[in-house]
Amino acid sequence: MNLSKKWLLDFVDLDVSDKKFADEMTLSGSKVEAFEVEGNELSNIITGRIDSLERHPDSDHMWICLVNIGREEPIQIVTGAQNLKVGDVVPVAMDNSVVHGGKHIVKGKLRGVESNGMLCSLGELGLTAHDFPNAIEDGIFVLGDDCDRTLGIDIREAIGLNDTVTEFEITSNRPDCLSIMGLAREAAATFNVPFKTHEVKVNGCGGDVNELLSVDILNPERCYRYCGAVVKNVRVKPSPRWMRERLRACGVRPINNIVDITNYVMLEYGQPMHAFDLRFLNGNSVIVRTAKNGEKITTLDGIERELSDDMLVIADADKPVAVAGVMGGEYSGIMDDTNTIVFESACFNGPTTRITAKKLGMRTEASGRYEKELDPQNCMPALLRALELVEKLDAGDVVSGIIDCDKSQKVNRTLPFEPQWVNDFIGISVSADEQKRILESIGFTVENGIITVPSFRNDIEHQADISEEIARFYGYQNIPNRKLGGVANAKHTPEQNMEKLVSTTLLGCGLSEIATFSFISPKHYDKIRLPKDDPKRSGVVISNPLGEDTSVMRTTVIPSMLDVLSRNYNNRNAAASLFEISNEYIWKGTEQLPDENVKVTLGMYGEGCDFFKLKAVIEELLYVAGVSDYDVAAVTDDPTFHPGRTAEITVDGTRIAYLGEIHPAVLENYEIGAKAYVGQVDFASLLKYGDLKRVYKPLPRFPASSRDLAFVCDIDLPVMTLEKAISKAIGRILEEISLFDVYVGSQIPDKMKSVAFNIRMRAADRTLTDEEADGAMKRAIKALGEMGIELRS
């Protein structure tokens, strides 16, 4: 919402700097985004009068002008404009001046004739013909009678281009502040000065509005109130300069007096209005109803739109003439030959207005206000203000009487006035009289211990809301510090503890965390070589995606990880080690929500990255999560991964993680020119099989006994199978088993390998004897022998 300072001063007397105004309004709850003085980029541009015009001796289209700037000597300026005559008062950019767009003007010569500045057009002042309808847009701007034609004054002062515009961020719970009066009320309370109201007076020209118009609301749940008035003998012409200035400052383009009045009232009161040409209202009737399926209307923007029966329309006896709360129809606008108009001031249901605007792909100033739930009691004052402006601007003759169809039945909310409760709640000490003054300054009524909430404050529902009003005008910065009351029993859930552990562990392993979108393109399933009949190709399809690239919810995070690896590789990052904790969305049919499975996805490429590094990171993660007694087995049937360099990790036959080198064809699809490795750990499995409890043991008191054993086994047999068999055979005295050598060569039979382990044993209560250690070795050799694995000789 843009606020004109000149307009604000109609309602409140303020003498503070723009900076102080912005700071204080922000502190009291009306957040200021920025403020700017109109025309602040213009410099050294003044008014001047053309005293003489002579043809340039060396040009057939240029003129040499003597310009009186209110000083002793006129100045000479050469111009190519053809719309000037002697006596015209024009903007003069002097030597060393700046015009719109930051262009610097200095004196010089044009075809050998000295020119001491430049005469300005509307565009060079940052204006258009909408700001000054009687000016020529492609010629020099000649000041009319509505401008200050005093010679030598700053052009901004002469044409009213000197307002201060303050931009506010208005939250959705405060639609009353989407108006000049609403912000003025906040300013009056902030600076503790009176809020001035304007007494509206409408004289009327006689007649009876009921003879010219009828109004009927068929859907009172969506239209709370409809006020209508008729103006005849309409005189369409440009609005006066003061109105055009205020509209421009608030970001609204002036059109003509009738349209400008509706926009002016919308900005001043926060109540959207519309004007209908009565000759296009068949039956001279206004019917507020829902549209019929397939019914069509051409809106003011010239687009034909198809309506449905969940949309509210303003209709005449035969057809819709406007989409209620959004935009008028093509023939409802004001034309040059319009003679009689209907002014509409209505209040529509907020949510349905928003839904309609969204379905039709339209968002207007009116719909943006209506969707926040406006005050039905504001309809009549706004309409009266519009009629007053019609008479003030001589824009037509107001027919006596107003039609008011009120279905709102709204009763102002009341709350008890409890000053001590407010003080205890906030932690301040403000007297009852001061609290009463604050509330009354923003439109509340306090009588006999009861607070009556004004109709325009839908956001006030509870005593805490009253406390907020007191606090923001008392000053948040004045509230003393105090300890929080109550007892906090909050603690992290097991899921949160595990997520934190996973994140810190992987960061400690040198990986960087990333976050990617949950929606991807279905083309990614082809890029990772997912089979055509794979269930993962069936996923949740987004009904209104931003584009094809974000049209489905992912059923696997791998494409997202490969995308990031590809981006890093193609941006010439020599190496990348990444992880993400995110969801996969598994389709459960149209009748159920998808399963959201949390996965820890790891990806890496570059120097020092290989299958075993990725495996080591995942095993470290399993270790700190307390997952033990797992198996590792090769995987050869996953088309996304290299068939000979992929593995899965299982517990009791359940896959909890898998990892591997990405298939060369997939790497080519993602334009990754280096070997890349991806792994995934199921987060739910970490919770199920993990144990975050840590039991610390004292340092050993007795020495350990170590032995080395080497075995010959099948080359494809996982080493972990041997480790588990050895561990089970040795039993409790085993402290650690470490693989230290794997050999394949001429001394070993074909398709076999030699695997060597260091086995360290220790007893907690005694020193192991050689017999005990040797016995343990014999049990280990026997256990592996029963598996067909021989001790290497």
Side-chain angles (χ1 to χ4, degrees), residues 212-218 223 225-230 274 276-278 280-289 313-319 321-322 324 341-346 348 403 405:
L212 299 174
L213 181 69
S214 66
V215 174
D216 193 10
I217 299 177
L218 301 184
C223 179
R225 190 175 188 181
Y226 194 104
C227 300
V230 175
H274 189 65
F276 295 97
D277 192 325
L278 185 61
F280 296 115
L281 282 177
N282 294 343
N284 284 19
S285 60
V286 168
I287 303 171
V288 186
R289 61 171 174 84
V313 297
I314 309 300
D316 60 19
D318 303 319
K319 64 186 183 305
V321 294
I341 62 173
V342 176
F343 270 118
E344 166 194 287
S345 179
F348 305 108
I403 295 176
C405 195

Side-chain angles (χ1 to χ4, degrees), residues 233-249:
N233 302 323
V234 171
R235 296 173 280 279
V236 179
K237 56 187 176 182
S239 301
R241 196 192 88 184
W242 62 267
M243 180 174 281
R244 300 197 307 267
E245 284 179 10
R246 292 182 175 189
L247 291 175
R248 180 188 66 231

Side-chain angles (χ1 to χ4, degrees), residues 142-427:
V142 178
L143 275 63
D145 294 337
D146 57 351
C147 301
D148 188 342
R149 294 160 58 88
T150 304
L151 302 184
I153 63 172
D154 192 301
I155 190 62
R156 294 174 294 183
E157 179 183 349
I159 64 175
L161 190 64
N162 55 356
D163 201 352
T164 298
V165 179
T166 305
E167 180 186 353
F168 286 87
E169 178 189 337
I170 307 300
T171 52
S172 59
N173 66 317
R174 292 300 306 275
D176 60 298
C177 287
L178 288 170
S179 66
I180 304 299
M181 292 178 67
L183 289 173
R185 186 183 294 107
E186 291 289 307
T190 299
F191 293 95
N192 196 16
V193 296
F195 173 63
K196 299 184 296 181
T197 56
H198 169 69
E199 184 181 351
V200 177
K201 294 182 179 180
V202 181
N203 298 316
C205 69
D208 185 359
V209 67
N210 294 288
E211 295 177 357
L212 299 174
L213 181 69
S214 66
V215 174
D216 193 10
I217 299 177
L218 301 184
N219 196 323
E221 298 83 15
R222 297 188 180 186
C223 179
Y224 307 134
R225 190 175 188 181
Y226 194 104
C227 300
V230 175
V231 177
K232 62 182 183 180
N233 302 323
V234 171
R235 296 173 280 279
V236 179
K237 56 187 176 182
S239 301
R241 196 192 88 184
W242 62 267
M243 180 174 281
R244 300 197 307 267
E245 284 179 10
R246 292 182 175 189
L247 291 175
R248 180 188 66 231
C250 292
V252 176
R253 186 182 68 179
I255 304 293
N256 58 53
N257 53 356
I258 300 299
V259 175
D260 292 351
I261 286 171
T262 62
N263 288 330
Y264 190 91
V265 174
M266 179 182 69
L267 292 171
E268 188 171 62
Y269 280 71
Q271 171 62 43
M273 297 191 64
H274 189 65
F276 295 97
D277 192 325
L278 185 61
R279 60 183 165 167
F280 296 115
L281 282 177
N282 294 343
N284 284 19
S285 60
V286 168
I287 303 171
V288 186
R289 61 171 174 84
T290 52
K292 301 171 185 176
N293 277 325
E295 202 167 23
K296 295 182 179 180
I297 183 175
T298 301
T299 46
L300 280 171
D301 54 8
I303 299 174
E304 185 180 68
R305 304 178 189 275
E306 185 171 330
L307 307 174
S308 58
D309 61 4
D310 60 348
M311 299 177 182
L312 193 70
V313 297
I314 309 300
D316 60 19
D318 303 319
K319 64 186 183 305
V321 294
V323 181
V326 183
M327 186 180 287
E330 182 178 23
Y331 295 106
S332 70
I334 304 305
M335 307 175 189
D336 292 338
D337 61 345
T338 296
N339 179 265
T340 305
I341 62 173
V342 176
F343 270 118
E344 166 194 287
S345 179
C347 188
F348 305 108
N349 177 268
T352 56
T353 301
R354 176 176 174 81
I355 291 170
T356 297
K358 189 172 182 179
K359 282 187 175 181
L360 295 177
M362 307 163 68
R363 184 172 175 83
T364 61
E365 284 280 351
S367 68
R369 284 172 163 79
Y370 278 124
E371 68 187 29
K372 296 173 178 63
E373 285 288 327
L374 298 184
D375 176 17
Q377 296 184 30
N378 197 29
C379 293
M380 183 62 73
L383 180 57
L384 291 172
R385 175 59 167 156
L387 298 178
E388 180 186 51
L389 289 171
V390 168
E391 293 183 341
K392 183 176 181 178
L393 273 57
D394 190 31
D397 302 325
V398 177
V399 177
S400 296
I402 291 176
I403 295 176
D404 183 10
C405 195
D406 189 358
K407 306 289 185 179
S408 63
Q409 300 178 344
K410 182 173 182 179
V411 178
N412 288 12
R413 186 177 289 111
T414 59
L415 293 168
F417 181 49
E418 299 178 347
Q420 190 56 48
W421 189 96
V422 170
N423 284 335
D424 294 341
F425 184 71
I426 303 174

